[in-house]
Amino acid sequence: MAVLLLAEIDAGALSDATHKAMTAAKAMGGDVHVLCAGDGCQSAAAEAAKIEGVSKSFCASDPAHGAKLAEPIAKLIVEKSGDYEHLVAAATASGKNIMARVAGLLDVMIISDITGVESSDTFERPIYAGNAMATVKTTDAKKVITVRTASFAAAGEQAPAPVEEIGGAGDDGLSAFVSEQKSESDRPQLTSAKVVISGGRAMGSADNFALIDKVADKLGAAVGASRAAVDSGYAPNDYQVGQTGKVVAPDLYIAVGISGAIQHLAGMKDSKVIVAINKDEEAPIFQVADYGLVADLFDAVPELEQELAKVKG
Amino acid sequence: MKVLVPVKRVIDYNVKVRVKADQSGVDLANVKMSMNPFDEIAVEEAIRLKEGGKATEIVAVSIGVKQSQETLRTALAMGADRAILIEAAETVDTDIEPLAVAKLLAKVVEEEQPGLVLMGKQAIDNDMNATGQMLSAILGWAQATFASKVEIGEGEAIVTREVDGGMQTIKVKTPAIVTVDLRLNEPRYASLPNIMKAKKKPLDTKTPADYGVDVAPRLQIVKVVEPASRKAGVKVGSVAELVDKLKNEAGVI
Ligand SMILES: Cc1cc2nc3c(=O)[nH]c(=O)nc-3n(C[C@H](O)[C@H](O)[C@H](O)COP(=O)(O)OP(=O)(O)OC[C@H]3O[C@@H](n4cnc5c(N)ncnc54)[C@H](O)[C@@H]3O)c2cc1C
Ligand SMILES: Nc1ncnc2c1ncn2[C@@H]1O[C@H](COP(=O)(O)O)[C@@H](O)[C@H]1O
């Protein structure tokens, strides 16, 4: 049987979360079809058709899919589900929102946030903020799965597979989009950046986050934050890295003024190289850091920017 | 409007979890258990709705072992009016899966007819982030997940959600399910007099059989192991040394 992968689409464009989830989807066995749901999803569907391993790309364009509301997209997936053994999406905010509803509609248990595929029915997933790794085998005939993108490499490119236009689910009147506030940024996305620099409570203010921004600009890095920094209003909510925020695994993660609570570590401890800058040499973050610098961030971060200017120009 | 608040008893968020040597799970014997932090936020929001005249009664529900009573008493001490315990597990090692929890909650919803269900976005033990969505699916209701702001209107709720890339505000038809995120509010502590009063508030005890729900798990645990641990790193003496190491040793800049 085949796999249906729900594409992650941001503002009409296909997100690389889809390419990463594809790598997991391929390991489940069978043909992989991608489902693009949006209000005008032709270009995303054309992109999705070029992901290596995809044998068909569906485009379900419908005004009801524009805001990625869960009710219509879940309905659409359930309508299509007959031909598939696996229904898969990236474990993004909208993936989690939609797929658990799909599982509820199909009366199956969801397998959330998988980090490994052992076989078509057995998966690895972190529990307890990543302090334990569970391998679970599902007894459900249909498998509804979300994929932790940080754990899978992005699938490559291929000559485009066929794109098929299908109808959308329509508006069931349960929920409606009102407005959105997008964090504007020219930087790479947190979950796909090769370098991430995050600030914690010690940043002290939103203005001081500019110190982090300057280093990020030198490194082409994405900017993240701890929960404490977000709660304090120093950084937008979607910057939060951790158990209940975003999970990242860049080549380089720099934690500035972050103590290293387990909930934060849950979101970044699989990074290739971790740097911690903290004035408390006992801070738990140093236990996971490859390079630790015990220093006041207000001295160290501007200096880091200058040193980077020397080596990066 | 009645508000239903499902609250889960979980390992306290400050406890360092240990994986059992036989790989069957995590050691939960004699560790501190608390209300799931997101559920505290849900209870708090329900209380604020009641204080604001939008809610008339708050019913807390918990599904699990007998000791989940303590979690319900905490909800009552914070300000919930009454509680329902569904005793579905004999030992703390048995975690009732979100699908079964959602089915039980759907039955409670049928009985109680709440105008709103406020619950956590995620239990910090199984990290599923699923029960609210499943419950709305079963009921055919609207869902507003990851809420950072909730406004109740006539037959609708306006909810601001934390999503990837920012915030999204949606309007849902009520009755609806709202799952709460961290920034919705700061939960109050129960005062001592309220803790005493909570002991006298009604707490009903039920079983899954009372609702005719099968709670047998769909997922079998093959094994639970420790995550790969990181090798201890080094302390560097200066920013210049750090940059040098990142460039020439780690090769990441
Ligand atoms: C249900 C739940 C979910 C959570 N989810 C998340 C999550 O997803 N992500 C997350 O991050 N947290 C999460 N948390 C919160 C987590 O437990 C911690 O409270 C939080 O990570 C702390 O943030 P912090 O390290 O910035 O702040 P603190 O713990 O206050 O640490 C600040 C650090 O800065 C250092 N410092 C102070 N001044 C300076 C200076 N001038 N220069 C250098 N260093 C300095 C201090 O030594 C300290 O180590 C969650 C908590 C709960 C209960
Ligand atoms: N056993 C339970 N008893 C009561 N509420 C629960 C239970 N399990 C989950 N919930 C509710 O569902 C939310 C999400 O949990 P989960 O889907 O397991 O991550 C929690 O925050 C609770 O509000």
Side-chain angles (χ1 to χ4, degrees):
Chain A
M1 279 256 270
V3 181
L4 184 67
L5 170 64
L6 176 68
E8 178 76 21
I9 302 173
D10 285 325
L14 190 70
S15 151
D16 80 331
T18 315
H19 300 70
K20 292 174 182 169
M22 177 64 198
T23 300
K26 257 193 296 196
M28 292 169 198
D31 282 354
V32 183
H33 299 169
V34 180
L35 173 61
C36 298
D39 185 7
C41 49
Q42 288 76 7
S43 76
E47 281 306 304
K50 289 190 271 183
I51 302 175
E52 192 178 359
V54 170
S55 57
K56 199 188 285 179
S57 174
F58 293 111
C59 170
S61 182
D62 188 323
H65 298 327
K68 298 200 262 190
L69 298 173
E71 296 85 348
I73 297 182
K75 181 165 169 250
L76 176 71
I77 294 172
V78 169
E79 282 167 6
K80 282 226 92 30
S81 66
D83 302 335
Y84 301 94
E85 180 177 345
H86 296 89
L87 307 170
V88 182
T92 56
S94 76
K96 290 173 188 168
N97 188 34
I98 294 165
M99 297 312 277
R101 187 174 179 97
V102 169
L105 292 170
L106 293 171
D107 188 19
V108 304
M109 193 33 212
I110 185 147
I111 311 164
S112 314
D113 219 11
I114 62 161
T115 51
V117 180
E118 306 243 311
S119 72
S120 70
D121 64 3
T122 305
F123 307 91
E124 181 198 59
R125 61 181 301 271
I127 52 176
Y128 293 91
N131 286 299
M133 302 303 290
T135 302
V136 294
K137 181 181 160 80
T138 179
T139 56
D140 286 317
K142 252 188 222 314
K143 287 98 182 157
V144 180
I145 294 162
T146 59
V147 177
R148 175 172 289 199
T149 54
S151 300
F152 295 90
E157 298 270 301
Q158 66 175 15
V163 176
E164 192 181 313
E165 304 251 352
I166 58 170
D171 183 1
D172 54 14
L174 286 176
S175 59
F177 173 78
V178 175
S179 63
E180 66 184 353
Q181 260 179 284
K182 290 272 174 194
S183 327
E184 294 299 332
S185 167
D186 297 334
R187 295 207 180 83
Q189 280 194 358
L190 203 44
T191 45
S192 45
K194 291 215 168 348
V195 181
V196 172
I197 176 165
S198 294
R201 191 196 311 271
M203 296 312 299
S205 73
D207 287 346
N208 289 342
F209 248 81
L211 298 173
I212 299 274
D213 292 343
K214 285 181 191 157
V215 175
D217 290 341
K218 285 277 176 306
L219 290 169
V223 177
S226 71
R227 174 190 172 181
V230 176
D231 284 2
S232 308
Y234 305 162
N237 67 283
D238 58 309
Y239 279 33
Q240 183 179 311
V241 170
Q243 179 187 17
T244 59
K246 294 205 168 89
V247 178
V248 301
D251 292 344
L252 172 61
Y253 186 90
I254 307 176
V256 179
I258 291 178
S259 60
I262 53 170
Q263 292 84 8
H264 188 79
L265 301 186
M268 44 65 78
K269 71 180 161 58
D270 292 330
S271 305
K272 213 164 104 201
V273 174
I274 296 175
V275 169
I277 301 176
N278 195 302
K279 71 175 182 190
D280 173 11
E281 63 177 328
E282 302 290 325
I285 189 78
F286 287 124
Q287 290 163 20
V288 300
D290 300 283
Y291 301 107
L293 178 65
V294 180
D296 189 312
L297 76 91
F298 295 102
D299 301 326
V301 176
E303 203 182 325
L304 179 59
E305 187 205 340
Q306 286 161 20
E307 288 294 326
L308 287 171
K310 283 188 214 160
V311 298
K312 310 270 297 184
Chain B
M1 178 182 72
K2 194 191 279 186
V3 180
L4 193 72
V5 189
V7 294
K8 187 176 186 186
R9 181 177 186 263
V10 298
I11 194 165
D12 186 84
Y13 79 97
N14 271 316
V15 172
K16 170 98 185 82
V17 310
R18 248 183 290 276
V19 171
K20 285 201 254 184
D22 67 0
Q23 303 196 335
S24 65
V26 157
D27 196 353
L28 294 172
N30 306 315
V31 302
K32 184 176 177 207
M33 304 293 279
S34 300
M35 189 189 299
N36 183 40
F38 288 99
D39 305 353
E40 291 182 344
I41 297 171
V43 173
E44 175 66 35
E45 195 64 16
I47 298 168
R48 292 188 191 186
L49 287 176
K50 194 176 168 198
E51 288 168 348
K54 297 278 185 190
T56 47
E57 190 187 20
I58 302 166
V59 182
V61 196
S62 194
I63 294 147
V65 288
K66 191 185 272 121
Q67 294 89 322
S68 305
Q69 265 195 41
E70 295 158 19
T71 312
L72 289 169
R73 290 287 171 207
T74 305
L76 293 169
M78 286 174 75
D81 297 295
R82 60 190 173 84
I84 302 168
L85 167 67
I86 306 178
E87 249 189 82
E90 294 274 321
T91 76
V92 338
D93 292 322
T94 310
D95 188 39
I96 307 298
E97 287 175 350
L99 181 63
V101 171
K103 287 181 178 179
L104 287 167
L105 292 174
K107 295 289 182 186
V108 175
V109 164
E110 256 171 49
E111 261 180 30
E112 297 283 343
Q113 301 280 321
L116 190 69
V117 181
L118 271 171
M119 53 202 292
K121 84 160 176 183
Q122 178 173 337
I124 60 161
D125 51 1
N126 64 27
D127 282 333
M128 281 288 182
N129 193 328
T131 308
Q133 296 90 312
M134 288 182 155
L135 176 59
S136 0
I138 293 167
L139 293 168
W141 288 8
Q143 68 189 50
T145 51
F146 324 147
S148 64
K149 190 173 173 205
V150 178
E151 283 171 273
I152 304 296
E154 276 302 315
E156 63 178 40
I158 310 274
V159 178
T160 301
R161 313 175 50 230
E162 297 203 5
V163 295
D164 295 330
M167 308 274 225
Q168 181 191 53
T169 303
I170 62 172
K171 187 163 74 180
V172 294
K173 209 165 108 185
T174 52
I177 310 293
V178 174
T179 79
V180 306
D181 217 318
L182 294 169
R183 256 73 60 181
L184 182 60
N185 61 46
E186 248 183 76
R188 69 194 65 192
Y189 291 103
S191 68
L192 198 56
N194 285 344
I195 293 172
M196 301 311 290
K197 268 190 241 161
K199 293 191 174 145
K200 299 206 184 70
K201 289 186 179 175
L203 191 154
D204 263 5
T205 303
K206 303 272 195 180
T207 67
D210 294 337
Y211 298 101
V213 171
D214 176 12
V215 298
R218 302 288 182 86
L219 304 183
Q220 297 165 355
I221 310 260
V222 178
K223 63 174 183 199
V224 174
V225 299
E226 300 263 353
S229 63
R230 290 189 75 93
K231 269 191 279 140
V234 296
K235 292 256 168 64
V236 292
S238 69
V239 172
E241 186 188 344
L242 173 64
V243 170
D244 176 64
K245 286 227 154 58
L246 290 178
K247 189 169 167 65
N248 301 315
E249 191 175 274
V252 287
I253 59 170

